[in-house]
Amino acid sequence: MVQKFKFCLWLVDLLTVKPLTLIDIQHKWVNSTLNDRQEELPERTFSRYRRDIESLLNVDIQCDKRNGNIYFIANKEELQSNRLLEWLRMCYRLTNLSKDIKKKTVVVLDPAPPAAEHLEPILDAIERHQSMQLVYKSHYKDPQDISFFPVFVRLCHQRWYVIGLQLETMKERVLAFERISSMNNGDPRPDLKQIALKRINPADYFIHNYGVLKEHKSEFIKIRVTWPQNAYIKDVPLHHSQRVIQETEDYSDFELFISPTFDFIQSLLTHRETLTVLSPQTFKEEMIDVLKNMLANYQ
């Protein structure tokens, strides 16, 4: 099972670069570092794994018989929005690199997200539609005993969060993993599943947010970024809604449809004097107030 899953990720990674014939794939697999025993890949096994890739990873690998029987990924555009698959592929690459001890010193990683040990029991509760009993410590309150129905988890800015309903109030909450001091899975609550999913849709719950804060309504925000920082923001957009609306040699104007939350303001400030908010006026004035308060701390 492990070998099959490794092959599936390996093949997706391989065909993402360019289409290949079965002979090419077989040759590369025999010489792959993942294939410890250098086992050959029979055509029947390849066909079975190809079907597994479609069912497990939702990757459609087809054969172009008119062009030399080359295999290619038919839904390549969809893969770009499949974040889970991208993470799996990245983990596969790191696992592959870690086998070569010489490469460990040239791959430098940021610290892993804290409290990742909570991930498995929370995902188990989501899968079984169970409530959870948590002790949650906020920075603003004393520790709380919470009855919680988890709906989905999110990894955001190197922190894990679980999103769901607090059963005492039936309100939506976003809880950071590292603030959970203890947890126990409770009884199955299938009655809450439909109630929760009507209010919390994982696919678009944060669609108009920068991170995990949901404080304000979304609005169109225009910013100006001077050269050369504008080139970096094009390469790594601040938000998926970002688009260029005007461009000169000296700057680029961008428009985003996003909620102007605290963490979004933090992100804008990281670009220092190269970024200016153009509109709306209310948000521009809020940024001016933030900058005035920051300046006052240095006077």
Side-chain angles (χ1 to χ4, degrees), residues 205-218:
Y205 192 70
F206 292 114
I207 193 169
H208 298 310
N209 299 96
Y210 177 76
V212 295
L213 300 180
K214 293 173 67 70
E215 300 167 337
H216 306 285
K217 290 184 178 180
S218 307

Side-chain angles (χ1 to χ4, degrees), residues 19-283:
L20 294 168
T21 65
L22 177 58
I23 294 176
D24 291 333
I25 294 170
Q26 290 170 326
H27 176 73
K28 289 180 179 295
W29 176 244
V30 168
N31 294 283
S32 171
T33 56
L34 288 181
N35 189 0
D36 299 329
R37 301 176 183 176
Q38 294 186 324
E39 296 177 344
E40 295 185 355
L41 179 67
E43 184 175 358
R44 181 177 296 180
T45 302
F46 171 76
S47 298
R48 186 173 69 252
Y49 284 178
R50 178 183 162 195
R51 292 192 297 270
D52 291 335
I53 289 173
E54 184 170 4
S55 62
L56 292 172
L57 304 176
N58 197 29
V59 178
D60 183 15
I61 297 176
Q62 296 185 9
C63 180
D64 186 354
K65 296 181 180 180
R66 297 181 180 179
N67 193 21
N69 289 320
I70 59 172
Y71 288 89
F72 67 98
I73 297 176
N75 59 338
K76 200 170 182 179
E77 292 183 358
E78 294 180 18
L79 300 191
Q80 297 174 356
S81 59
N82 189 334
R83 294 184 179 180
L84 178 58
L85 179 57
E86 283 299 305
W87 273 96
L88 289 172
R89 290 170 61 195
M90 184 185 69
C91 292
Y92 143 74
R93 296 185 194 111
L94 290 175
T95 301
N96 195 26
L97 283 173
S98 68
K99 291 187 175 183
D100 189 344
I101 191 67
K102 295 178 182 178
K103 294 179 181 177
K104 287 186 177 179
T105 58
V106 298
V107 179
V108 181
L109 302 175
D110 287 340
E117 66 274 10
H118 293 331
L119 185 59
E120 185 174 352
I122 290 175
L123 289 177
D124 186 60
I126 294 173
E127 183 72 20
R128 299 174 184 272
H129 313 306
Q130 291 176 317
S131 62
M132 306 188 76
Q133 301 300 316
L134 311 175
V135 176
Y136 191 73
K137 174 67 170 69
S138 168
H139 292 309
Y140 312 103
K141 301 177 182 178
D142 292 331
Q144 288 181 297
D145 292 323
I146 294 176
S147 294
F148 191 73
F149 186 78
V151 178
F152 73 102
V153 298
R154 183 183 183 190
L155 179 61
C156 181
H157 304 145
Q158 289 190 287
R159 296 176 71 190
W160 280 107
Y161 297 88
V162 57
I163 298 88
L165 294 178
Q166 182 173 340
L167 300 185
E168 290 88 351
T169 60
M170 291 304 289
K171 291 184 178 179
E172 303 162 24
R173 287 202 65 178
V174 179
L175 306 180
F177 275 27
E178 73 273 11
R179 298 183 195 169
I180 300 174
S181 58
S182 69
M183 66 169 63
N184 290 291
N185 288 13
D187 297 325
R189 293 292 305 272
D191 57 306
L192 291 174
K193 178 184 176 183
Q194 294 304 320
I195 296 174
L197 289 178
K198 284 181 180 179
R199 297 170 56 180
I200 302 174
N201 180 5
D204 61 11
Y205 192 70
F206 292 114
I207 193 169
H208 298 310
N209 299 96
Y210 177 76
V212 295
L213 300 180
K214 293 173 67 70
E215 300 167 337
H216 306 285
K217 290 184 178 180
S218 307
E219 57 185 336
F220 286 103
I221 294 175
K222 295 179 182 179
I223 59 174
R224 175 167 295 172
V225 187
T226 57
W227 188 89
Q229 194 63 23
N230 56 344
Y232 291 98
I233 289 184
K234 289 179 188 175
D235 290 341
V236 184
L238 295 171
H239 188 252
H240 66 85
S241 66
Q242 176 180 304
R243 66 185 186 95
V244 178
I245 56 175
Q246 183 176 339
E247 194 156 24
T248 71
E249 292 182 357
D250 300 321
Y251 64 83
S252 299
D253 289 348
F254 300 91
E255 183 181 69
L256 306 90
F257 187 70
I258 194 170
S259 176
T261 52
F262 178 84
D263 51 359
F264 178 60
I265 293 175
Q266 284 182 314
S267 175
L268 297 183
L269 292 173
T270 63
H271 297 281
R272 295 171 43 119
E273 69 277 4
T274 66
L275 187 149
T276 305
V277 172
L278 301 178
S279 67
Q281 185 63 28
T282 52
F283 185 51

